[in-house]
Amino acid sequence: MSARRIKAVRTRRLKGNEEVTHLGEGPGSGYRWLSVREVIRAIEAGERFYIEAGSESLLLSVQKASDGRKSLAVGFEPSAELLLTLPRDPG
């Protein structure tokens, strides 16, 4: 099964923290933008997404908090912090 590469992010400031709102996928320099919610739904439906960090390819996964909220995680990290290492698009 193939995976879709995430190459850029769009972010916003929320309560002093930077939060990822959209992920840009694409094989070339043009991006197809997906909201975090769309990516979570796609992963739950069986699609796979990854990022490249240095020489590693890391899969995205969905984490569920005790209150039921869902969020993205990268590789073995329990959060999506590594997404913030990707290039930003001001959107």
Side-chain angles (χ1 to χ4, degrees):
M1 173 181 247
S2 64
R4 297 160 63 178
R5 183 177 175 193
I6 299 300
K7 295 178 70 176
V9 295
R10 287 183 178 159
T11 62
R12 69 176 175 185
R13 281 265 186 228
L14 185 65
K15 298 179 184 177
N17 294 317
E18 193 172 20
E19 175 185 86
V20 174
T21 61
H22 292 80
L23 298 112
E25 72 163 318
S29 60
Y31 303 122
R32 177 174 175 249
W33 291 100
L34 303 165
S35 71
V36 169
R37 181 176 290 181
E38 288 172 315
V39 172
I40 288 172
R41 284 190 204 129
I43 291 171
E44 291 178 328
E47 292 188 54
R48 295 168 50 163
F49 295 84
Y50 73 99
I51 66 167
E52 290 187 359
S55 62
E56 296 184 305
S57 293
L58 304 167
L59 283 175
L60 302 184
S61 62
V62 176
Q63 300 291 318
K64 191 171 183 181
S66 59
D67 64 2
R69 285 183 295 141
K70 296 176 184 177
S71 61
L72 291 175
V74 180
F76 294 109
E77 298 295 320
S79 69
E81 292 284 321
L82 285 172
L83 288 174
L84 296 175
T85 65
L86 294 174
R88 307 291 196 292
D89 179 86

